[in-house]
Every structure is written in C-alpha cells, then in structure tokens.
Amino acid sequence: MNHIAPGSGAGTPAHGGDFDAIVIGAGFSGMYLLHRLRDQLGLSVRVLEAADGVGGTWHWNRYPGARCDSESHSYCYYFSKELLEEWEWSERYPTQPEILRYLNHVADRFDLRRDIALNTRVSAARFDEAANLWQVTTAEGRTLSAPFLITAVGCLSAANVPKIPGLEDFAGQWYHTGEWPQEGVDFAGKRVGQIGTGSTGIQAVPVIAETAGHLWVFQRTANYSVPAHNAPLSPEAKRWIREHREDIREVMTTNTNGHPFHIEDRSALAVSEEERQRLYEQAWAKGGLQFRATFRDLLTDKAANDTASEFLRAKIRSIVKDPKTAAILSNIDHPYATKRPPIDSGYFEAFNRDNVTLVDLRAAPIERITPRGIKTKDAEYPLDIIVFATGFDALTGPLLRIDIRGRDGRTLRDAWEAGPVNYLGLQVPGFPNMFTMTGPGSPSVLCNMPVAIEQHANWIADCIAGMRAKGLRRIEARPEAAQTWVRDVNAAAESTLLPEAGSSWYLGANVPGKPRVFMPYAGGMAQYRAICDEVARKDYEGFALSA
Ligand code: NA7
C-alpha cells in the first residue's frame, strides 16, 4: 500500500495541499500528534518516518542494555484511560524491546499505521508563502504539501560519530549505539573497544562485558552514576500503580521534571552531616533519577551540590577495587547532575571483572583509529569491534539535517547560526505554521519525555483547532517574542548550575563547531506549562495570526 498518497484522512483539504498537516517522525511525539490531529480534530494527516517501523528513539537505540531511565509507569502515554488500563509494564525500568512493543501496540490500538509512511526520510521542507503551504520533499524526491508542518524528530536522533582519523581503514566492525543493527551484534570472545561513558555507555558496559573476550572502555570525561536497582515489578507494585494512576498523573504534570516524584523541599546545607549521609544512603538504596530530588538545592547551590558529588565519588571508590581505576572513574570535573545523570545496572562493578579495562583518555587521548584498533598517545589497542557510545547532535541536530526553508527561502540553519532562536520552543520566526515538538527552548530532555510530548501535542492541537474555528490560516512567532524567550531560556539556565558542565550536550559542547548555547528550558515543566497556557489564553500573545 502506498501510504504516502492522501487517503484515509478526512477528505480532500480545501486549502489545495495534499494534507492538513504533515508530521515528521513516528516516535512517541508523532504518533500522539497523529491521534490528536486526525482522530480528535478530524484533520487529514500524514506522518513521514525514516525507519522501517514506528518507535523513533526506541526503534534505533537497540544497543546492549538499552533501557529507559524513567520508571516504566511514568514512561508512557496518559491521554487514554483504556490504554493505561490494558498495558502492564514488567520491570521498574522498561527495556528497549518492551517500549518498542508498547509503541507498536499503540500504533495498532489507535489504527495509526494507515497514516504513517515508513522508510520515508524527509530531506527538505520549504514554505510556499503564496500558497500558504509547506512543501515537504522526501529522500526519494517525492513532494507532499500541507499548511501545517510539525517536526516530531526527537531530541537525540542524530548520531554523533566523532571524526577520528583512520576510522575508514578499521578492519573490524564498528557501530554507533543510536544506529544499532536490528539483528544485534555478537560480542562473544571478541576484543571490544567502547568509546563514551554517558548514559548509553554506562548501560552498555556491563552487558557487553558479559560476553566479550575483553572490553576496553575509553573514557574522556568521568561520570557520576546512581544504581537503577531495576527489577521485575511485583504484583503489589503493579496493583499500586493501577490504583494510583490519577495521583501519579497529578504529580507528573504539576512538578518541575515530569517524573512521578517531588523534589524534597529541604536544603542539603540545612541538615547535619550525619543526617545528610543518612538521606543520601537512603536515596542510593532506592536508586534512580530520584537521587537528584533528595534536596531542593542540588542544582542551584554549588555547596549543596558538592555534598552529593562527594557522596557519589566515595561510592565509586568503595565499589571499584583497583584504586587506580577508581581514581580515574571518580575524577569527575563537573557538579553532579549538571550533565544528564546516568543510572546504571552494575556499571562500576564491571570494572572489577578481569575482562574489563578502563582507558583514561584525559591522560592519553585517542590519536587515530588504525586498521587494527584504537591508538592513543600511549598505546595501540587491537580490537575486533568498536562501539561508539558517543551520543548525539542533540536537539538542533535532527532539525538542521533537514533542509528547512521558511519565508523568503531563509534556511533554519541560517536562522540558528548563533544557536536556536524560537518562541516557547514551539515556533521559529520566519517559519509560519511550523511547530517543533520538544525542540530547543522547551523543557524537552530536562523533563520525562512523554509528559513533555503530551503537553506540546495538546497545545499545538488546541492552537490549530482554535485557528480553524476562527478561519485563521497562518500563525507565526513574532521575532521580539522569540528574542525575549531566548533571554528567558538563558536566564533559567543561569539560575542553575547546569551551564557549569563544560562537556555537556545540553550546551552542544559534544559536537565540534556547534554554538555553545544552553538549549533546553530549565525553568521547569510546571512553569513552562503555565506560560504556554497563559499565552494561549491571551489569544496566542507573541504570535502573529492571520487569515
Ligand atoms: P552522551 O551523554 O553525549 O555521552 C557521550 C559520551 O561519548 C561521553 O562520555 C563523551 O565524552 C564521549 N565522547 C564523545 N565524543 C568523543 C570522542 N571524540 N572521544 C572520546 N569520547 C567521546 O550520549 P549518550 O548516548 O550516552 O546519552 C545521550 C542521552 O540519551 C542521555 O543523556 C539520556 O538522555 C538518553 P565527553 O563527556 O564529551 O568528554
């Protein structure tokens, strides 16, 4: 069936375009948008997806140990009571295969597939001002049009493979964790080198170590990690979740980070040393991202943060038996949680295995990749497989790799030359009727993603519905509103310790040449939600609307 042609929507659109809306991406965002716009607003919608299946991030990230760091009962849609009731998660943190099964279930449950064109990569999108239509071109050269274009391309979907000289000559196999082969990779008995110790690398190490002959972990920046304490959900836990859905939703949609827990309203500096250690031990035993919530000022007060950072460094030293390895792993150059804090299942413990060796790239950087393996300043490591757990060109990358052109042919790349400029993280001035889901300038990656996604999709759908009701055809962020918002985004970041992590992908620092701008909105999801609601209530203040 050719899913790309107009078909199953609500009849021929009156505006002359092929569809009422085109959505790029069929992950959590794109699928909910499709349901919201098609089934609740009655629009004709086409979702274009590069992969051969739905799932977005969870389609691509199949690396060993891939698992979500949000707890399963919070990492799902809440828009449908029936969906919530019929799906039961099996573990505290969902594995990639389980999330993918869930998203496929959603696709079937809401009959989404008939409006999703798979294997369809969008290469360009151009706004035709006279026709008031977005012309969207696919990699195969087909063009589709619609008045509304919504990018649901994900925040972490443009893989970052560092340009290390010699990679093309490597005689073994190499893989990026975010573009993992569907058939998997057999590490049994192999000499494996993994570059990168972010959330992904920290998940992958213990699993790769189980079968690899030997694993060398190439660490540039040491990282904190808190145990996930993952386990199957007990029948009692499942029942509790079933019985408290509304309470869980309430917490997730009213707190700063979209997770099902509140940040404790106490300062790390207001309790005794003994009490602080007790609370940290308690949080460590509980595990997970919630560790951050032990005190309210861990991300705003350096002295408070130091207490958590030191506690976590001491934990590394107590777990890792070889003192030299422990020293390199705990020599961390940034305050805890100023980079995205990983959680793990046996990461530091893996360095106690005979077949795992840490390589300190700070002491001896990688010089090149040779046909045999990785050569650092000190030594050459012969390898059969290299795993790049080197992250993503985050937030702006997935948008900028599409040739997006707004009014007067201006490219998004040009508009964002000095860093992303937009209003509420939702619209870029000069790019009318284009909405970005969980892009830069929105809480996105600082929030539990499905919560951020439902808020965005609902706001966008309500906006489009309101426009249609009033006979309005165009909405565009005003440049002055965007300038103010960019200042607000910067001010929100500056009021935290987040910009202190020099190598953070939040700042774009992991991609050479990328403008160093703190990209997500750090003012918290609750505040962001309130701002968006207020803008809508004031007839979309800051946007220009026209017929
Ligand atoms: P991250 O968090 O960006 O981590 C990437 C890791 O790769 C990090 O340790 C980097 O070190 C390292 N890296 C990147 N380029 C190089 C080069 N050239 N040489 C050596 N090491 C390098 O990506 P993840 O995939 O782990 O996590 C992304 C998000 O996915 C995560 O935060 C969750 O939100 C889910 P660096 O720190 O830059 O020195």
Side-chain angles (χ1 to χ4, degrees):
M1 197 191 337
N2 178 7
H3 286 284
I4 213 160
S8 54
T12 309
H15 39 66
D18 297 318
F19 305 98
D20 294 321
I22 293 173
V23 174
I24 310 176
F28 261 101
S29 280
M31 294 215 294
Y32 179 46
L33 271 166
L34 172 57
H35 172 62
R36 194 73 170 76
L37 298 178
R38 185 193 70 184
D39 301 335
Q40 295 176 0
L41 265 62
L43 304 191
S44 66
V45 183
R46 190 58 85 247
V47 179
L48 306 178
E49 166 57 57
D52 64 3
V54 299
T57 291
W58 301 104
H59 174 90
W60 297 104
N61 281 267
R62 296 166 188 256
Y63 61 86
R67 188 185 286 284
C68 186
D69 288 347
S70 295
E71 297 196 35
S72 55
H73 66 284
S74 68
Y75 199 74
C76 51
Y77 296 113
Y78 266 69
F79 69 84
S80 160
K81 191 161 174 286
E82 296 74 24
L83 174 62
L84 273 170
E85 278 168 6
E86 72 203 15
W87 186 266
E88 192 168 77
W89 294 100
S90 65
E91 293 179 65
R92 178 175 175 187
Y93 297 95
T95 60
Q96 175 271 334
E98 191 168 17
I99 302 172
L100 197 56
R101 276 200 300 281
Y102 170 74
L103 290 171
N104 274 285
H105 168 71
V106 172
D108 293 331
R109 170 81 175 65
F110 295 95
D111 192 17
L112 301 178
R113 294 188 200 275
R114 65 189 155 98
D115 289 309
I116 299 174
L118 299 173
N119 300 305
T120 306
R121 181 175 287 283
V122 172
S123 55
R126 182 177 64 83
F127 185 65
D128 177 343
E129 188 159 14
N132 197 48
L133 290 172
W134 277 95
Q135 303 284 351
V136 177
T137 309
T138 70
E140 300 85 45
R142 284 179 287 181
T143 297
L144 302 162
S145 61
F148 290 103
L149 173 66
I150 307 168
T151 65
V153 289
C155 303
L156 297 159
S157 52
N160 171 43
V161 179
K163 292 186 176 51
I164 302 173
L167 179 58
E168 61 286 358
D169 301 327
F170 179 54
Q173 272 88 45
W174 67 267
Y175 307 94
H176 186 280
T177 51
E179 293 175 346
W180 204 255
Q182 295 201 20
E183 64 279 13
V185 175
D186 183 7
F187 292 102
K190 298 274 171 46
R191 298 166 303 176
V192 184
Q194 179 184 300
I195 304 177
T197 53
S199 299
T200 299
I202 280 176
Q203 286 186 340
V205 161
V207 183
I208 295 176
E210 274 169 24
T211 57
H214 200 94
L215 170 63
W216 285 268
V217 180
F218 293 83
Q219 172 191 283
R220 187 164 68 180
T221 307
N223 221 335
Y224 303 94
S225 185
V226 170
H229 295 313
N230 183 53
L233 285 171
S234 65
E236 299 75 53
K238 288 180 181 172
R239 192 175 60 243
W240 187 90
I241 290 165
R242 268 199 310 276
E243 289 170 359
H244 291 86
R245 292 210 197 285
E246 279 314 309
D247 305 328
I248 296 166
R249 181 213 300 272
E250 175 66 15
V251 174
M252 292 197 307
T253 53
T254 53
N255 68 10
T256 54
N257 55 31
H259 286 284
F261 53 80
H262 281 299
I263 295 171
E264 295 291 343
D265 189 19
R266 62 185 170 214
S267 164
L269 305 175
V271 297
S272 68
E273 170 66 15
E274 199 185 9
E275 175 66 354
R276 199 161 47 227
Q277 291 304 311
R278 191 186 67 77
L279 291 168
Y280 282 142
E281 286 291 354
Q282 207 176 53
W284 177 268
K286 192 161 193 180
L289 293 174
Q290 202 166 346
F291 191 90
R292 274 181 309 186
T294 312
F295 296 105
R296 68 159 186 265
D297 48 1
L298 294 186
L299 270 176
T300 51
D301 184 316
K302 178 70 168 52
N305 187 294
D306 285 346
T307 65
S309 299
E310 193 36 55
F311 175 88
L312 294 172
R313 287 194 193 101
K315 280 292 183 198
I316 300 171
R317 291 189 290 265
S318 74
I319 296 169
V320 179
K321 294 197 177 114
D322 172 42
K324 204 170 147 226
T325 304
I328 299 165
L329 286 168
S330 59
N331 183 17
I332 307 175
D333 67 357
H334 54 278
Y336 167 62
T338 53
K339 290 176 83 167
R340 163 68 156 70
I343 63 174
D344 70 275
S345 298
Y347 174 64
F348 295 117
E349 290 81 352
F351 291 95
N352 294 333
R353 298 176 64 115
D354 293 338
N355 71 335
V356 178
T357 304
L358 182 67
V359 181
D360 180 7
L361 297 181
R362 282 279 148 91
I366 294 177
E367 284 186 340
R368 62 179 297 109
I369 292 172
T370 66
R372 274 161 39 95
I374 294 178
K375 185 175 179 320
T376 67
K377 193 163 149 280
D378 279 356
E380 184 177 9
Y381 297 85
L383 301 168
D384 302 306
I385 298 174
I386 300 176
V387 174
F388 287 94
T390 44
F392 301 88
D393 182 355
L395 290 146
T396 51
L399 292 165
L400 293 177
R401 67 180 174 176
I402 303 171
D403 180 13
I404 299 178
R405 293 169 191 254
R407 268 193 295 108
D408 307 321
R410 188 171 190 214
T411 64
L412 186 63
R413 189 168 283 282
D414 182 30
W416 284 4
E417 199 185 1
V421 177
N422 62 23
Y423 182 39
L424 302 176
L426 284 164
Q427 263 216 347
V428 185
F431 296 76
N433 289 1
M434 181 179 93
F435 293 100
T436 51
M437 288 285 290
T438 63
S442 82
S444 62
V445 291
L446 299 180
C447 180
N448 180 28
M449 288 307 288
V451 174
I453 285 166
E454 288 195 358
Q455 184 273 347
H456 272 54
N458 291 338
W459 193 93
I460 293 168
D462 290 347
C463 173
I464 294 176
M467 287 175 66
R468 287 165 69 90
K470 290 182 178 165
L472 299 170
R473 297 170 62 238
R474 191 180 291 191
I475 179 166
E476 183 179 347
R478 295 183 189 278
E480 57 279 15
Q483 288 308 333
T484 306
W485 184 248
V486 169
R487 276 200 296 277
D488 290 351
V489 171
N490 286 333
E494 290 301 331
S495 70
T496 71
L497 300 173
L498 288 164
E500 290 208 11
S503 61
S504 159
W505 58 259
Y506 293 155
L507 273 167
N510 61 328
V511 177
K514 190 165 171 168
R516 296 240 174 160
V517 177
F518 193 87
M519 293 181 287
Y521 174 67
M525 190 63 206
Q527 186 167 336
Y528 175 80
R529 187 188 295 276
I531 294 169
C532 290
D533 289 349
E534 180 70 358
V535 165
R537 205 180 56 74
K538 290 186 171 165
D539 283 334
Y540 296 94
E541 189 176 50
F543 291 94
L545 287 131
S546 55

